[in-house]
Amino acid sequence: MHRLQLVLLSALALLSTGCEPRDEASTRTPVAAGYPRTVELGSGATFSVPDRPKRIVCATTTAVDYALSLVEPNRIAAVCSQAFQSSLLTLRVVDEPSLRDRFDQFDRFVVESALRSDPDLILCSAFSNPSTVETLRRTRIPLLQLVEPATIDGCFGHLKALGRVLDVSARAEDLVSDLRRRIDALEAENPGGGRTAMFFSGSGVEGWGSGRGTLQHDALGRLGLVNAIADQVGPCAIHLEDLLQADPDFLIIPRSPDGSPSLTREGLNDERLRGLKAIPDHVLEIDDALFQTTSHRVVEACEEIARGLR
């Protein structure tokens, strides 16, 4: 069929239904005030969103912590299933059981699971699968990779930037002010008093710790503690000889969600560790979600550690 015939048929169809052609702008859904907007991130990079996000996908527990602290649950469309074990959502579900069925859930962050809930913003990690991230970026859906902060101030920066992205700047500022007041109070108290400590999680005498350049390292400093493995950088493997050499005054380990002895706690019963200063009376167990957090909930972790130091 010739192009002219197609045009004529289209015009006849419009006339037969009594409709007039409308321009694209007249059918476009209006965007929220202040959008599109571009937000400067803590890294100095910028991030743009075309409209106020209302269907957020949180691909990590850290993303869930940030989002659930800033917006109402009805603006979150989907979360990773791990969020129900180790994020702020774990606590919220206790008070609001209906939240368990409120969100779409996925075990793996892949393209299909991310798009299933028709998102208008995806929050994931800087360590998310590059292939998944690249494919999702091609859909033009705004995708923000949250860089793991090395300091508590970095967490506050994430909160403020996300506050602007999500159009809840006032709420973000209030939250940061409260968190800053609490961490400042801990610094002034100085419960660590210059003693040494280290984060340790593992099975037996082998595991992982947090050297300098990590959020946990900064947390120890804020409490007046000296990181016993500050000679190592980043998340690091810990072996028997490392534990014996560090010999911290305090060992900070994760507590099992169900209250049973954790693998880490059981591993500290090894005879070879009997001479450590921290064993048995200075082993501080904190909530597993707080032990591994890379969000602003690190302030809660500091408060829990401080209670054990007093």
Side-chain angles (χ1 to χ4, degrees):
M1 184 177 292
H2 294 296
R3 188 167 183 272
L4 179 58
Q5 290 175 297
L6 287 171
V7 172
L8 288 172
L9 285 173
S10 297
L12 287 171
L14 286 169
L15 288 171
S16 66
T17 57
C19 297
E20 293 181 0
R22 291 177 294 175
D23 60 44
E24 185 180 346
S26 67
T27 60
R28 191 179 301 141
T29 303
V31 300
Y35 289 89
R37 70 175 50 168
T38 298
V39 173
E40 184 174 344
L41 306 176
S43 63
T46 58
F47 180 73
S48 298
V49 277
D51 200 356
R52 187 174 192 263
K54 296 183 287 291
R55 296 191 57 78
I56 307 163
V57 166
C58 299
T60 66
T61 55
T62 297
V64 173
D65 282 348
Y66 284 123
L68 205 56
S69 295
L70 292 172
V71 302
E72 297 304 317
N74 61 12
R75 291 181 61 186
I76 301 173
V79 300
C80 58
S81 56
Q82 299 97 313
F84 289 94
Q85 286 79 49
S86 56
S87 79
L88 186 59
L89 187 56
T90 313
L91 301 178
R92 292 286 294 272
V93 166
V94 174
D95 297 327
E96 302 175 62
S98 61
L99 287 179
R100 184 167 291 281
D101 302 315
R102 171 66 183 78
F103 314 108
D104 183 25
Q105 302 172 36
F106 52 87
D107 295 325
R108 294 176 59 242
F109 180 52
V110 294
V111 174
E112 293 77 10
S113 61
L115 297 180
R116 189 168 60 206
S117 54
D118 189 27
D120 53 15
L121 174 65
I122 299 170
L123 300 177
C124 64
S125 164
F127 300 108
S128 295
N129 185 292
S131 176
T132 299
V133 170
E134 181 182 353
T135 302
L136 288 171
R137 287 197 191 282
R138 288 202 294 266
T139 68
R140 301 298 180 90
I141 297 170
L143 181 148
L144 178 57
Q145 290 183 277
L146 296 170
V147 177
E148 189 171 307
T151 65
I152 293 174
D153 284 340
C155 295
F156 296 165
H158 276 339
L159 278 171
K160 290 181 177 182
L162 282 170
R164 293 189 290 273
V165 169
L166 301 173
D167 200 28
V168 287
S169 288
R171 186 177 303 178
E173 292 288 348
D174 288 345
L175 179 55
V176 168
S177 293
D178 176 64
L179 292 168
R180 196 179 296 283
R181 175 188 57 78
R182 288 156 58 186
I183 199 66
D184 286 349
L186 288 175
E187 283 194 88
E189 179 189 346
N190 188 29
R195 291 171 290 181
T196 61
M198 65 179 281
F199 282 79
F200 177 70
S201 174
S203 176
V205 295
E206 306 288 321
W208 293 89
S210 300
R212 67 180 185 276
T214 61
L215 186 57
Q216 287 72 22
H217 176 82
D218 186 50
L220 293 177
R222 299 294 187 109
L223 290 167
L225 291 165
V226 176
N227 190 352
I229 53 172
D231 58 323
Q232 302 204 47
V233 179
C236 51
I238 297 294
H239 307 289
L240 172 62
E241 55 270 26
D242 299 312
L243 282 169
L244 295 177
Q245 180 178 343
D247 192 15
D249 295 312
F250 293 92
L251 272 170
I252 301 165
I253 67 172
R255 181 174 59 243
S256 294
D258 61 3
S260 63
S262 65
L263 287 175
T264 304
R265 166 60 87 173
E266 291 180 342
L268 297 181
N269 293 325
D270 191 293
E271 289 288 338
R272 292 169 291 179
L273 300 178
R274 293 286 174 147
L276 291 184
K277 295 194 292 285
I279 295 176
D281 298 327
H282 290 165
V283 177
L284 308 180
E285 293 184 81
I286 68 171
D287 182 89
D288 182 59
L290 299 180
F291 180 89
Q292 60 182 311
T293 187
T294 55
S295 78
H296 58 289
R297 295 193 71 205
V298 68
V299 174
E300 294 176 55
C302 287
E303 292 171 331
E304 190 165 337
I305 293 169
R307 285 192 287 272
L309 292 171
R310 293 178 181 126

